[in-house]
Amino acid sequence: MKTVLALCMRNLKEFVRNRTRLIFSIIFPFFFIYVFSAIFRNDYIENPISHMLAGIAIATVFDFSLRISSTTIDDMASGFMKEVLVSPVSRLSVAGGQFLSSAVIGTMQGLLIIIIGFFIGFRITTPLTIIYMILAMIFVGFVFAGFGLFLATNTKSTQTFQVISVAITMPMTFLSGAYIPLEHLPPTLTYISYINPLTYAVALFRTISLERLATPQSQLIAEELAFEIGGFVVTPWISALFLLGFGALFLLLSTISFARTDFSKVSRGAGEQIDW
């Protein structure tokens, strides 16, 4: 457990020290809120700013949880990871440290957006909602931390990982309903969004942050907090189960991949390819 916490604190300190990235990662989401929040205005959504801000907050958790995994590649290339593993520390503990740091940093970033959101119109009626939101962000952070570490341990350079992460995060983000309502997407892209795990993370987090847990299914569907697919209604609780399965799968795959990775073959060069 000490190893897990030590690695988490190390990654957290490195993140906080990069103030430029921290500032711009806070400013950038509010640009999208300013540009796209009007799209969410309809007869069913009472507060479009809150609706969109909740989606962007959890999309930010997803993005940071996945991208923080790139530090694994830096640690491999610099030799730090080999030094850690020379000590009597199991690779499982090291992987756990990476999972925890990704989830914690992603949650912190999402919380910063929520806090600033209170100054532009985001509202809740009970402090208990904040606790539920934090738990949901930690949950989503762990779900996608495994996915990010799986990509990182199968990538042979930081530059390659960055290209792959952008190629994955951009489509997943814009096809999740976080920035653009799914009803505005072409039918083909709407069906693709139904297999996007981030879609269910956005729906679950919005349900919690907008305090819609006791809302009837018809209203949840109208607000895109639930989805009707082939006559079957995917409620927020089913979304949580879907995310739990997705996260468990990639936590397992990433742990196995991390345990089998040959760190001597990892570099920061751009010429390496992905080794699946």
Side-chain angles (χ1 to χ4, degrees):
M1 189 63 184
K2 290 183 179 179
T3 302
V4 173
L5 294 176
L7 288 172
C8 178
M9 289 302 299
R10 173 181 175 271
N11 291 336
L12 183 58
K13 288 178 181 179
E14 289 184 354
F15 173 75
V16 173
R17 287 170 183 166
N18 192 338
R19 295 180 181 177
T20 302
R21 180 176 65 173
L22 182 62
I23 293 172
F24 276 95
S25 63
I26 295 174
I27 295 174
F28 196 60
F30 288 94
F31 168 77
F32 282 99
I33 292 175
Y34 177 76
V35 173
F36 292 116
S37 60
I39 301 177
F40 286 88
R41 293 185 182 277
N42 60 39
D43 296 335
Y44 302 102
I45 297 176
E46 298 176 0
N47 190 335
I49 291 180
S50 294
H51 199 85
M52 187 173 184
L53 188 137
I56 288 180
I58 204 64
T60 301
V61 174
F62 152 75
D63 185 62
F64 271 82
S65 297
L66 193 146
R67 290 180 186 272
I68 291 299
S69 299
S70 64
T71 60
T72 304
I73 302 174
D74 291 331
D75 290 341
M76 294 176 186
S78 66
F80 172 79
M81 194 63 69
K82 287 184 283 188
E83 293 176 2
V84 171
L85 295 176
V86 167
S87 63
V89 174
S90 69
R91 290 200 176 195
L92 183 61
S93 297
V94 178
Q98 296 299 112
F99 294 146
L100 183 61
S101 59
S102 295
V104 169
I105 292 172
T107 299
M108 288 178 58
Q109 195 65 30
L111 272 176
L112 286 174
I113 292 174
I114 292 295
I115 291 171
I116 297 174
F118 283 110
F119 295 96
I120 64 171
F122 182 76
R123 295 290 181 270
I124 58 172
T125 61
T126 171
L128 192 61
T129 301
I130 292 291
I131 297 176
Y132 291 150
M133 290 167 65
I134 293 173
L135 293 176
M137 285 190 280
I138 293 173
F139 171 60
V140 172
F142 272 109
V143 166
F144 291 106
F147 184 44
L149 186 61
F150 177 74
L151 293 177
T153 52
N154 286 282
T155 306
K156 300 307 180 184
S157 75
T158 303
Q159 293 180 5
T160 304
F161 178 82
Q162 289 173 347
V163 171
I164 293 175
S165 63
V166 170
I168 291 175
T169 57
M170 289 295 287
M172 287 182 68
T173 301
F174 281 96
L175 293 179
S176 67
Y179 294 94
I180 302 173
L182 298 183
E183 63 180 14
H184 293 334
L185 296 176
T188 302
L189 294 181
T190 300
Y191 288 119
I192 294 175
S193 70
Y194 290 150
I195 61 175
N196 178 8
L198 185 57
T199 300
Y200 302 98
V202 170
L204 175 64
F205 187 73
R206 275 182 175 153
T207 303
I208 293 172
S209 60
L210 299 177
E211 302 174 333
R212 295 288 194 272
L213 292 174
T215 303
Q217 283 188 1
S218 58
Q219 180 66 22
L220 290 175
I221 293 173
E223 295 185 32
E224 294 191 356
L225 304 178
F227 311 99
E228 188 172 3
I229 306 175
F232 178 77
V233 177
V234 180
T235 64
W237 299 115
I238 295 177
S239 294
L241 291 175
F242 176 83
L243 289 171
L244 182 63
F246 179 86
L249 173 63
F250 276 97
L251 284 174
L252 176 63
L253 291 176
S254 60
T255 302
I256 294 173
S257 179
F258 186 84
R260 294 178 177 177
T261 298
D262 184 356
F263 299 120
S264 64
K265 295 182 179 180
V266 180
S267 69
R268 289 192 177 93
E272 298 288 343
Q273 301 297 323
I274 302 173
D275 180 18
W276 296 100

